[in-house]
Amino acid sequence: MNIANGIWALVPFKGASGAKRRLESVLDEHERESLVLAMIRDVLDTLAQCRALGGTLLVSRDAQAFELAEEFGMDVFEESATDLSGAVVQSGAYAQRQRQAEGTLFVPGDVPLIRPRDVVAVLDGHEQVTLVPDANDIGTNAAASSPPNAFEYLFDGKSFRPHIASARRAGIEPRVVRNAAWGLDVDTVDELAVVAQRASGTRTGRFLESSGISARLGASRPSQSR
């Protein structure tokens, strides 16, 4: 397998407070915060186990990031950007300069179903730009770039096709990987219901079950055909 050991994962984290407001109809503020922390712990645990990576940077100015980084044996990069794209650019430049990263892998904190094999699926065969869309081919749920910042990031919630165009403007034909675990991020109630069905054995699944949220969502769970 062609695994890029010089690739560093970049995990932006804005903090749990006030997050996931689109879930307000089913989760109160404390539940949303607990969900965010459960999900990012699942993500960081997976990355910590993945030997295909050179390392992981938690990209954040939030105080809680330092506790998470210590828990999983990672470092924090305190970005100063005004948006997600800028945070990924800044952390990618840092990884290249200070960690000798040959490439980077953007990983959101709300894809709790990914496992090391899913990370390998993205990196195995990666050369310059690899993009992983969400389940609807609308957003970008992972992006590998070698070298770091090889193309312009355009994160806005609908960035998958713009990222394909951005890579092509940089003279790169992007590789696209579709993966069920990467495809499911949690922004909507429907997505949360699907995660509740599939997250057995994860921190996220245990939280949803023990809090009663899984049972609460049960009556309105969507069909799995998407």
Side-chain angles (χ1 to χ4, degrees):
M1 290 190 300
N2 176 26
I3 299 297
N5 289 307
I7 288 187
W8 278 65
L10 309 175
V11 187
F13 177 63
K14 293 191 297 184
S17 179
K20 298 298 177 185
R21 293 188 181 275
R22 292 174 67 184
L23 302 176
E24 283 181 329
S25 63
V26 293
L27 303 183
D28 64 29
E29 183 175 359
H30 175 71
E31 288 172 331
R32 295 197 308 275
E33 290 181 5
S34 297
L35 173 65
V36 166
L37 291 173
M39 291 194 297
I40 198 165
R41 282 188 166 98
D42 280 331
V43 169
L44 295 179
D45 188 25
T46 285
L47 297 176
Q49 294 179 51
C50 189
R51 296 182 180 180
L53 291 167
T56 298
L57 288 176
L58 192 53
V59 182
S60 180
R61 287 172 277 175
D62 189 86
Q64 210 160 21
F66 293 90
E67 298 174 16
L68 290 167
E70 183 175 0
E71 181 178 345
F72 291 97
M74 299 169 177
D75 291 331
V76 176
F77 174 74
E78 295 184 81
E79 46 82 20
S80 59
T82 58
D83 59 14
L84 176 57
S85 297
V88 175
V89 168
Q90 287 184 4
S91 55
Y94 172 84
Q96 184 176 35
R97 183 177 65 252
Q98 299 295 334
R99 303 305 167 90
Q100 291 73 55
E102 298 171 6
T104 55
L105 174 66
F106 157 75
V107 182
D110 62 349
V111 285
L113 302 186
I114 63 168
R115 298 292 176 269
R117 64 178 177 272
D118 300 303
V119 180
V120 170
V122 175
L123 298 184
D124 187 15
H126 166 74
E127 294 183 1
Q128 293 177 288
V129 172
T130 298
L131 301 172
V132 184
D134 64 21
N136 300 308
D137 277 12
I138 295 174
T140 305
N141 281 6
S145 175
S146 296
N149 301 327
F151 69 110
E152 181 184 7
Y153 293 107
L154 301 165
F155 292 108
D156 65 354
K158 300 178 180 179
S159 64
F160 174 55
R161 298 201 181 282
H163 276 151
I164 289 177
S166 174
R168 288 172 176 166
R169 285 195 299 273
I172 300 167
E173 184 59 34
R175 171 175 169 261
V176 174
V177 174
R178 289 178 173 84
N179 175 284
W182 282 106
L184 189 57
D185 55 333
V186 181
D187 288 317
T188 69
V189 175
D190 282 358
E191 290 164 345
L192 179 62
V194 176
V195 165
Q197 292 177 312
R198 300 180 183 175
S200 176
T202 66
R203 291 170 176 83
T204 302
R206 289 192 292 272
F207 164 69
L208 293 173
E209 191 68 30
S210 64
S211 64
I213 293 171
S214 290
R216 195 188 313 162
L217 292 169
S220 59
R221 284 177 180 172
S223 167
Q224 291 192 38
S225 61
R226 300 177 67 84

